[in-house]
Amino acid sequence: MDIQLRNDAFFMKEALKEAQRAYALDEVPVGAVVVHKNRVIARAHNQVEMLKDPTAHAEMLVLTEACSFLGNKWLLDCSIYVTIEPCSMCAGALVLSRLKKIVYGARDPKAGACGSILNIVNNKKLNHRIEVKRGILEKDCSLLLKDFFLKKRRKSSSRN
């Protein structure tokens, strides 16, 4: 395994730790970390339910933390590792932050905006484009999401 793939797997495992924190809080298990100079500078997980805020996605929260850490609105030399393909809201925010690279685990065929249903991060009409790497620890990321929604469905059907 080459060094970049090892690094990608390492940082995705850090994002998965965040997703597991979300899972434990009964949030959709999505986690993200921002990496600068081969070091995690920010980490977050979904907090939509806890904050009662539809914008409290892991990517949005981690961007705020990373910008605060660097003291800059631009994340030019940073990469984000996220367990699922970002939605259109998050993809737009990633473009606006001028992030260098997105690495994600699971594809999102219903809301993915990094190539699945839209490709906001590489739209030539926008002022910035982001390198995208897909499928890092995809099975682990997908299984966590599938398990979460399976438990939700079971819980919902047992109430009826």
Side-chain angles (χ1 to χ4, degrees):
M1 183 185 303
D2 79 355
I3 191 145
Q4 187 56 54
L5 195 53
R6 262 199 319 266
N7 284 347
D8 287 343
F10 174 83
F11 292 124
M12 189 59 74
K13 284 178 185 171
E14 293 299 304
L16 271 164
K17 288 177 188 175
E18 288 298 316
Q20 289 161 346
R21 286 185 180 104
Y23 188 108
L25 296 169
D26 204 30
E27 296 275 358
V28 175
V30 177
V33 297
V34 171
V35 174
H36 179 256
K37 296 183 179 177
N38 221 27
R39 186 172 136 229
V40 174
I41 61 165
R43 53 182 67 238
H45 54 271
N46 273 7
Q47 295 181 40
V48 172
E49 301 301 326
M50 184 178 77
L51 297 175
K52 308 282 186 267
D53 179 354
T55 70
H57 290 197
E59 300 95 322
M60 301 297 282
L61 299 171
V62 83
L63 282 179
T64 299
E65 190 177 316
C67 289
S68 178
F69 179 87
L70 293 174
N72 197 330
K73 63 183 177 180
W74 306 132
L75 300 174
L76 295 167
D77 295 320
C78 296
S79 298
I80 188 171
Y81 290 77
V82 61
T83 55
I84 192 168
E85 180 180 2
C87 69
S88 57
M89 173 184 68
C90 294
L94 296 172
V95 169
L96 292 173
S97 74
R98 300 199 181 161
L99 202 72
K100 181 179 181 180
K101 184 167 85 170
I102 298 166
V103 180
Y104 70 82
R107 293 186 67 208
D108 187 346
K110 292 183 179 178
C114 297
S116 287
I117 64 165
L118 298 170
N119 196 347
I120 291 173
V121 300
N122 280 296
N123 186 316
K124 289 179 173 44
K125 292 183 178 183
L126 299 177
N127 68 337
H128 180 75
R129 281 166 286 297
I130 305 172
E131 175 188 343
V132 177
K133 192 166 188 180
R134 301 163 174 80
I136 301 298
L137 300 183
E138 183 173 14
K139 284 182 184 176
D140 296 334
C141 295
S142 293
L143 280 173
L144 189 61
L145 286 158
K146 285 176 185 172
D147 183 59
F148 176 81
F149 287 111
L150 182 62
K151 279 187 175 179
K152 284 283 191 198
R153 282 191 294 279
R154 281 185 187 147
K155 197 182 285 186
S156 175
S157 68
S158 70
R159 288 186 195 141
N160 298 332

